[in-house]
């Protein structure tokens, strides 16, 4: 389970992140999202993507969001050896490529929490705070994520539950 | 494209294989096959499986057979890092596990051709001859595969186009 909250970045937020968290890595992430051959991921609130970055290539499935305040959801990640072959595989299985999402992500660590500062092509800058958790620790993980968001000066009420994919799709329509 | 022909093994065929080809590796292969959430792979003649053996873990998609005499078909292979997560991923996407196919495979090489001697749990022993080929080289690859099959004492008329999965499904019904 990925317990996650997201906000639009404000000027200077990166300095606040650096005060409380330790820089880990920065990388360009290129994601290609797919829709399912026989169900509409927009309606089921699921997602399937193939990601390429300098650390490697990954397939990620995201289940429906489980919570009203955050964008927490089940995630299954699979490391793979080839981006183009993964796309070919899903296309042969009837999955439809929906959209590319490209961002430059700076990752910071604070204990077992991750803070990402994302510059998303076509959308602007965002901050994501996330903690991985078992289902039984969900509430504690959520409180931790809220606490860090507050330390960074965010109001939980302004959290954005939509994914970058959804935000880009909205802008396009 | 995987140009491939398969026969029921006869007593002594392994000695004939050793005379013309070089031993490469032997391994237990554990495959789990899936059916598609909204089309019937039995009817479309496709296959999707996750394989685990001592060399690693792989997702393989096989397209419909393209030829009447052989079991040649398009194959897309993806190396992955986790067998159980791959199963979970496909299950979440609505794919249905159909059956496990377990075999002990001895792989021999003869030039760019591969000869496999397979002992398949529940089915007995088989010999597969295969060559990877571009679509444009298909006929040459097929001739090479036929030639090797004849050298091993097989009559092309007795080739088995059904997959191990299909043979096991037949036995079960």
């Amino acid at each position: 389970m990925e317990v996650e909250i997201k906000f639009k970045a404000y000027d200077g937020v990166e300095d606040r992140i650096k005060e409380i968290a330790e820089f880990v890595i920065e990388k360009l992430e290129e994601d290609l999202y797919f829709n399912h051959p026989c169900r509409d991921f927009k309606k089921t609130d699921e997602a399937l993507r193939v990601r390429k970055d300098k650390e490697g290539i990954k397939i990620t499935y995201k289940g429906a969001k489980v919570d009203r305040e955050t964008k927490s959801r089940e995630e299954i990640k699979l490391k793979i050896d080839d981006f183009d072959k993964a796309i070919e595989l899903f296309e042969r299985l009837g999955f439809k490529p929906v959209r590319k999402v490209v961002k430059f992500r700076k990752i910071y660590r604070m204990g077992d929490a991750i803070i990402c500062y994302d510059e998303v092509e076509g959308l602007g800058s965002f901050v994501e705070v996330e903690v991985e958790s078992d289902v039984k620790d969900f509430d504690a993980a959520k409180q931790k994520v809220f606490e860090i968001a507050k330390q960074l000066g965010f109001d939980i009420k302004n959290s954005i539950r939509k994914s970058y994919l959804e935000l880009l799709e909205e802008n396009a329509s």
Side-chain angles (χ1 to χ4, degrees), chain A residues 13-28:
Chain A
V13 67
E14 257 206 285
D15 294 331
R16 303 263 307 246
I17 295 172
K18 285 173 191 161
E19 282 167 26
I20 62 168
E22 190 186 351
F23 176 73
V24 179
I25 193 173
E26 59 182 19
K27 54 190 172 132
L28 188 75

Side-chain angles (χ1 to χ4, degrees), chain A residues 17-127:
Chain A
I17 295 172
K18 285 173 191 161
E19 282 167 26
I20 62 168
E22 190 186 351
F23 176 73
V24 179
I25 193 173
E26 59 182 19
K27 54 190 172 132
L28 188 75
E29 294 181 344
E30 293 180 63
D31 297 348
L32 181 63
Y33 283 85
F34 291 88
N35 204 351
H36 194 277
C38 47
R39 60 193 199 227
D40 187 351
F41 279 167
K42 257 188 211 171
K43 285 178 189 152
T44 60
D45 190 27
E46 298 165 284
L48 176 70
R49 71 162 182 236
V50 184
R51 169 172 294 176
K52 179 167 62 176
D53 65 39
K54 69 180 180 187
E55 292 189 298
I57 306 157
K58 251 188 323 224
I59 296 170
T60 302
Y61 164 82
K62 300 186 178 212
K65 289 185 271 297
V66 297
D67 179 85
R68 291 196 170 193
E69 295 160 300
T70 65
K71 51 196 289 299
S72 306
R73 58 211 307 194
E74 184 199 23
E75 281 201 13
I76 301 171
K77 290 178 192 166
L78 210 55
K79 283 187 192 159
I80 59 170
D81 66 331
D82 194 300
F83 187 72
D84 294 331
K85 273 193 202 168
I87 293 167
E88 221 182 317
L89 175 82
F90 284 119
E91 286 186 336
R92 288 294 189 287
L93 293 172
F95 289 77
K96 304 273 185 303
V98 174
R99 180 177 283 277
K100 278 185 89 169
V101 177
V102 179
K103 64 178 172 295
F104 191 74
R105 168 165 276 183
K106 293 180 193 161
I107 299 177
Y108 297 83
R109 176 173 290 281
M110 181 187 175
D112 56 355
I114 293 290
I115 304 172
C116 299
Y117 181 82
D118 293 337
E119 291 173 68
V120 186
E121 185 185 29
L123 277 184
S125 297
F126 297 82
V127 174

